[in-house]
Amino acid sequence: MLKTKKLTGKLLLQGGKAYLPEKNAIEKRDLLIEDGLLTGMEKSIEASEDMEVIDCSSKIITPGFTDIHVHFREPGQEYKETLKSGSEAAIAGGFTTVCCMPNTDPAIDAQESVRFIRQRQEELLVDIYPVAAATKHREGKELTEYGEIAAAGAVGFTDDGSPIADSGVMRKVLEYAKIVDKPVLQHAEDPGLKANGLMHESKVSTALGLPGTPGISETAMVYRDIQIAEYVGARLHFQHVSTAGAVQLIREAKERGVKVSGEATPHHLMLTDEAVRTFDTSTKVNPPLRSRKDVDAVRKGVADGTLDVIATDHAPHALQEKEQTFDLAPPGMIGLESALGVVIKALVASKIANLETVLERLIVNPRRLMQLPENYYTFKDTANLTIIDPKEEWVFKREHVKSRSQNSPFYGSQLLGRVKGVLNRLEIADFGL
Ligand code: DOR
């Protein structure tokens, strides 16, 4: 359980720096919060006796992070995660807004389930926006009711967990999404090429005797989808991009003005197929952990803006499911709590991107892509802030996990950059401020 405290009285976040989205810069700022509302933001604010002061030297204050790709498993699989437990995991990772995926049971494919999530999230600590199923029951055949579903509060359409495999259906999905002005989020894995693959097809899969999924299963579908999106003139976002080929195709499509975007997960930025040698079923994910060359290309894609967004694909599964053999365990790993530490280590420590770039991909670009309000640091508005120490080295442990599930391959890993506190919805979570 996550412990939070109600924000009452005056709180001064003093001596730190703040990430400023409009400049994509980090500059010295003090912030004053009164009864949970932001009332001051200056280079320096003097403390008075009626203020509680948090020393933020060595820390950076940012707007709360936004993760456009989480699986909160409600309705139907509450033993893995609920909207509440998922929200707590989000806060632990510095995320105050998330977009949840529709591969629940039943799928989020109608206005009622979209409304249910929008209503339920009002009682929780994070803002949750559902991305609705692109096709009924996520079967890839018949489209859902785009107008009704968008009006109920869905921010996009996807069959995530599965691709929209049929090209004709994909064309219709893009046409209808364009009419309601929402993005389509595609899980690009060609089912025929993926076949029964359990990991990336490589020397490692051969050595381990596990059937492989070749990189072209993603790259081929990205190629096809770019053609369709360009033809239709619709907005298409590629989830969890994992291959060098896909990164290059997205780069070229953007250069010629196609409305495509892409996301990278922390795990595809950090781990290669070598991680599967442990047979830890947490390393089983769709799309799979790829080669060094692919990881380097995904990193470069985030650095140069080809991949606009960092999103976790937080995919909780219960212990008894992940304790099965590699072939039977469901794919997915949790990712919210470790995201910042993994990403700073993968991109900033290795000098591939600077911290501002990482923060832009965690804060600004996700909101722009999903057309969420871009109201950063609004005076008299509820303070929605994440406080990080980008230089703190720490070892990721089970005790850091607030999710109902535990399936992470990062336990025992030394990470760089830590979330120290989060303010949202008039509450503060303190992780060592
Ligand atoms: O590894 C994955 N797990 N990839 C997905 O696309 C779906 C996710 C899940 O829902 O568990």
Side-chain angles (χ1 to χ4, degrees), residues 71 73 103 160-161 187 240 285-286 313 315 317 331-332:
H71 297 270
R73 309 299 190 203
N103 61 337
D160 179 49
H187 173 135
H240 40 48
V285 276
N286 284 340
D313 193 4
H317 292 290

Side-chain angles (χ1 to χ4, degrees), residues 16-21 23-29 59-62 354-357 359 388 390:
K17 293 180 176 164
Y19 171 69
L20 308 174
K23 294 188 186 171
N24 194 31
I26 295 168
E27 293 180 5
K28 194 179 168 345
R29 289 289 185 282
K59 299 188 185 71
I60 296 173
I61 301 161
T62 77
N354 61 21
L355 186 61
E356 290 85 340
T357 299
L359 293 174
I388 65 171

Side-chain angles (χ1 to χ4, degrees), residues 19-25 29 41 364 368 376-377:
Y19 171 69
L20 308 174
E22 71 282 7
K23 294 188 186 171
N24 194 31
R29 289 289 185 282
M41 185 167 179
V364 182
R368 193 157 298 158
Y376 310 111
Y377 305 120

Side-chain angles (χ1 to χ4, degrees), residues 117-390:
I117 289 166
R118 290 299 294 151
Q119 276 163 13
R120 176 79 181 109
Q121 62 93 37
E122 283 174 19
E123 304 153 25
L124 302 172
L125 288 172
V126 301
D127 307 344
I128 307 178
Y129 294 93
V131 179
T135 65
K136 288 186 181 160
H137 314 296
R138 297 176 46 254
E139 283 172 354
K141 292 179 187 147
E142 209 184 323
L143 266 58
T144 51
E145 299 291 344
Y146 281 45
E148 280 179 8
I149 287 175
V155 290
F157 292 89
T158 185
D159 276 353
D160 179 49
S162 313
I164 299 160
D166 184 285
S167 316
V169 174
M170 186 50 148
R171 174 186 177 169
K172 284 204 195 95
V173 165
L174 286 164
E175 284 171 344
Y176 276 78
K178 185 181 173 190
I179 293 169
V180 296
D181 191 26
K182 301 286 174 213
V184 173
L185 285 62
Q186 171 73 315
H187 173 135
E189 280 195 295
D190 180 278
L193 290 167
K194 180 172 180 61
N196 61 346
L198 299 174
M199 67 171 294
H200 178 55
E201 187 169 285
S202 64
K203 282 187 185 151
V204 184
S205 66
T206 307
L208 298 180
L210 293 175
T213 294
I216 52 164
S217 66
E218 175 172 304
T219 310
M221 192 169 265
V222 167
Y223 183 84
R224 180 203 75 167
D225 288 343
I226 288 171
Q227 300 299 318
I228 305 173
E230 185 168 17
Y231 186 69
V232 173
R235 285 195 293 140
L236 177 59
H237 174 73
F238 290 106
Q239 303 180 292
H240 40 48
V241 173
S242 72
T243 69
V247 175
Q248 185 55 21
L249 287 170
I250 296 167
R251 185 177 287 124
E252 288 165 10
K254 281 186 164 185
E255 275 165 14
R256 57 175 201 276
V258 188
K259 291 179 225 159
V260 288
S261 55
E263 88 196 12
T265 71
H267 49 277
H268 289 113
L269 286 166
M270 181 62 102
L271 301 173
T272 68
D273 55 348
E274 291 289 338
V276 183
R277 284 190 192 274
T278 58
F279 282 103
D280 173 358
T281 56
S282 296
T283 64
K284 182 179 172 186
V285 276
N286 284 340
L289 302 171
R290 301 275 186 199
S291 68
R292 182 80 255 160
K293 177 171 155 270
D294 292 311
V295 171
D296 288 344
V298 173
R299 288 180 172 189
K300 195 158 174 289
V302 172
D304 72 12
T306 301
L307 303 179
D308 315 66
V309 168
I310 295 168
T312 65
D313 193 4
H314 176 83
H317 292 290
L319 208 57
Q320 67 271 22
E321 296 172 313
K322 279 294 201 180
E323 275 183 347
Q324 301 178 94
T325 48
F326 210 85
D327 53 334
L328 295 177
M333 66 172 80
I334 57 168
L336 285 163
E337 297 95 333
S338 51
L340 183 75
V342 170
V343 163
I344 290 184
K345 189 170 173 184
L347 294 173
V348 183
S350 57
K351 299 203 166 27
I352 288 163
N354 61 21
L355 186 61
E356 290 85 340
T357 299
V358 167
L359 293 174
E360 190 181 49
R361 313 288 187 256
L362 283 169
I363 298 165
V364 182
N365 292 357
R367 300 192 76 82
R368 193 157 298 158
L369 187 78
M370 301 309 291
Q371 298 168 299
L372 304 178
E374 291 187 57
N375 49 348
Y376 310 111
Y377 305 120
T378 312
F379 283 177
K380 298 272 157 65
D381 215 348
T382 313
N384 175 347
L385 305 170
T386 294
I387 304 168
I388 65 171
D389 181 343

